[in-house]
Amino acid sequence: MTDNLENINPKLYKKVEDRQVTAAEEDEDIVDAFDAREVFDLIRNINDPEHPLTLEELNVVEQNLIEVMQYDTLMATLIGLSIRVQLLRALPPRFKVSVEITPGTHISETALNKQLADKERVAAALENSHLVEVINHCVCGSKY
C-alpha cells in the first residue's frame, strides 16, 4: 500500500492538551453556545485515510482556524433589528426607539443589547441590501 501513498512521511504535529470538562458543561439542561474548541474536539481525532494518524496530528485541522457562527444570536439580532426598523418606520421622528433583549432570555443578551443600541452599527447593517430584504420580509410578511 505504500506505493500509492501521496505523502509517505508526513510531518507530525504535537496534539493539544485535552480540555477539562466542568460539571456545568456536563449539565444537558443548560443551553450554552458551541465554541471553536468544542468543534475542534469533535473533529480532531478523525483518522487520515492514508495513515494511522489523526487530522490533528497531521495539522489538517487547527482550533485557531475554526470559526463558529452563532445563528441563535444572528436570529435574535434579526428579530431585534426587525422590531427596531418597524418602529422607526411607523412612529413619528420625535420618538426615540430602544430595543433590548429581555433580561435572562438569551445567552448573548449583553452583546445583543450593545449591538441593537449602537446607532452606527444598526445604520451599517441597514446598508446591506440582503439584510434589508430579510428584515422587510420579517416586517411585511411578504416574500423577499
Side-chain angles (χ1 to χ4, degrees), residues 9-110:
N9 296 313
K11 181 177 179 182
L12 297 180
Y13 295 81
K14 184 178 183 212
K15 294 178 82 170
V16 298
E17 296 287 324
D18 285 338
R19 183 173 57 97
Q20 298 299 318
V21 179
T22 65
E25 292 173 316
E26 292 280 322
D27 189 346
E28 294 296 325
D29 293 330
I30 297 174
V31 177
D32 63 341
F34 271 83
D35 61 14
R37 178 56 194 252
E38 288 175 293
V39 173
F40 177 73
D41 285 343
L42 291 170
I43 64 174
R44 67 190 278 198
N45 292 315
I46 294 173
N47 289 314
D48 180 90
E50 290 187 317
H51 302 284
L53 302 167
T54 66
L55 297 182
E56 178 187 15
E57 292 170 317
L58 294 169
N59 209 35
V60 172
V61 295
E62 296 177 58
Q63 179 182 337
N64 63 329
L65 297 177
I66 297 171
E67 181 179 344
V68 177
M69 302 291 289
Q70 298 296 335
Y71 288 105
D72 58 337
T73 300
L74 178 61
M75 290 303 133
T77 303
L78 275 172
I79 292 168
L81 278 172
S82 296
I83 292 169
R84 186 177 180 94
V85 165
Q86 176 68 2
L87 292 173
L88 288 171
R89 288 177 181 171
L91 295 173
R94 70 178 185 271
F95 287 90
K96 178 184 176 197
V97 174
S98 176
V99 177
E100 295 181 0
I101 305 297
T102 303
T105 61
H106 199 281
I107 192 166
S108 301
E109 168 191 331
T110 303

